[in-house]
Amino acid sequence: MNVPLLDLVAQHQGIKDTVLPAVMSVIERQGFIMGPEVGQLETQVARLSGARHGIACASGTDALLLPLRTLAMQPGDEVIAPAFTFFATAGAIHNAGGRPVFVDIEPGSFNVDPAAVEAAITPRTRAIVLVHLFGQMANVEALAALARKHGLMLVEDAAQAIGARRKVDGTWRVAGELGTVGSFSFFPTKNLGAWGDGGMMVAQDDALADRLRRERLHGGSKEYFHDEVGLNSRLDSIQAAVLLAKLPYLADWGVRRRAIAALYDAAFSGVEGVTPPPVEAANEHIFHQYTVRAERRDDLLAHLKARGIGHKVYYPLALHMQPCFAYVGVGRGALPHTERAADEVVSLPIYPELTSAQIDAVIAAVRDFYQG
Ligand SMILES: *Cc1c(COP(=O)(O)O)cnc(C)c1O
């Protein structure tokens, strides 16, 4: 049986009767830029993220770049970030004029280690970027405390974590709520995906939100008058309409992803050689990815391929070892948990439309590999 890593066509079949009319209304109106859908989506994503403001933009990458650009970094200014993440986390730091300072992860959650962040703070540090990797929140409360203590911006890269929650002192906190800025991506394969590129920043601070609203529109507070140079980074009204139509499904999709993860966890706990992803007791994971550690990982990849089981290694080469970041001067061996994760992980199909037969096929393929 063929099981794709993700099946967006299956999702579309289930929801097209609600999404297509929403898109058609934008087309009939021919109102493609900054239509009312954008503001509505901003309000709803801000509410979902426990934030006062939502500011839509053109991609998740820009949702990281725009807040970092407000720091007006000078050569040598540093931004601390994990090296085990998608490239955009560090690309945005570089493109905002900062120097990425890569730190290690905690081996269980794959998320950045707050102690490593603290040890990396210098007088040149301007910001910390955390990543809620694979849909499980990082220790945002520890990092927010560090950021406060040192007067740093804290950017939450929540591209994979929309709606993820974490109990802090007995209260649920949502991805995007506790950072200076939370950055979301609506790339089509994310848990809430558009029909193209899209992103969103959320923030609590009124002045910063106003600044970000200007920065995404060429830096002008009023059309044709510019105090600073910004970007052209808007979310199209069509994309906003798609996302507004999909948003009501997001919570149920999350429940289904967690249920599938529980089935995988139960099946793999009895298989020597594969380790299910540990979820911290404080966290509600949204399982953007279901990422296991696997012994003889590369042989497993070949086996899954032969069996038609979708899979992908997120991420095979840590960022401190990318040729473009050689200038940062951190080589192999510097971040052992990160490097080990890159060698051991593989992500398996997890999306709401998976059938039980498909789930069984994934489980059987992994089991057969280790138990012959
Ligand atoms: C997807 C992703 C981004 C970038 O989002 P785009 O919308 O593709 O620009 C940034 N960080 C992480 C962790 C991501 O997964």
Side-chain angles (χ1 to χ4, degrees), residues 59-62 64 85-86 88-89 131 133 157 159-160 184-187 190 197-199 288 315:
S59 69
T61 301
D62 280 3
L64 296 164
T85 172
F86 178 57
T89 311
V131 183
L133 200 67
D157 182 342
Q160 304 184 0
F184 296 98
S185 165
F186 304 124
F187 188 79
K190 300 287 159 81
D197 279 308
H288 172 61
Y315 297 91

Side-chain angles (χ1 to χ4, degrees), residues 89-169:
T89 311
I93 294 169
H94 175 99
N95 284 330
R99 180 186 175 89
V101 174
F102 293 116
V103 297
D104 215 349
I105 54 168
E106 297 174 330
S109 65
F110 301 115
N111 280 323
V112 69
D113 178 355
V117 171
E118 182 162 29
I121 294 174
T122 76
R124 298 305 304 268
T125 307
R126 303 292 309 282
I128 300 166
V129 181
L130 66 80
V131 183
H132 300 306
L133 200 67
F134 303 142
Q136 170 165 222
M137 282 180 72
N139 188 341
V140 61
E141 64 275 19
L143 294 165
L146 272 181
R148 243 190 331 270
K149 179 169 159 202
H150 295 273
L152 306 173
M153 174 183 274
L154 176 63
V155 178
E156 293 180 61
D157 182 342
Q160 304 184 0
I162 189 165
R165 305 194 292 176
R166 177 177 175 87
K167 270 227 166 110
V168 178
D169 295 331

Side-chain angles (χ1 to χ4, degrees), residues 238-299:
I238 285 189
Q239 301 303 344
V242 169
L243 293 162
L244 276 174
K246 282 189 172 192
L247 195 52
Y249 298 97
L250 185 65
D252 285 346
W253 286 341
V255 170
R256 177 75 184 138
R257 284 172 182 268
R258 275 191 290 282
I260 296 167
L263 293 173
Y264 284 157
D265 285 350
F268 297 150
S269 66
V271 180
E272 183 122 27
V274 56
T275 309
V279 181
E280 286 179 13
N283 274 333
E284 185 176 81
H285 202 315
I286 63 161
F287 289 103
H288 172 61
Q289 299 295 341
Y290 184 88
T291 303
V292 301
R293 287 181 190 265
E295 285 174 18
R296 294 185 285 131
R297 196 263 320 263
D298 292 349
D299 292 340

Side-chain angles (χ1 to χ4, degrees), residues 163-206:
R165 305 194 292 176
R166 177 177 175 87
K167 270 227 166 110
V168 178
D169 295 331
T171 306
W172 283 114
R173 301 296 197 159
V174 206
E177 182 177 353
L178 296 180
T180 317
V181 177
S183 306
F184 296 98
S185 165
F186 304 124
F187 188 79
T189 61
K190 300 287 159 81
N191 284 31
L192 180 64
W195 287 0
D197 279 308
M200 177 83 69
M201 300 165 281
V202 297
Q204 307 290 5
D205 186 78
D206 298 348

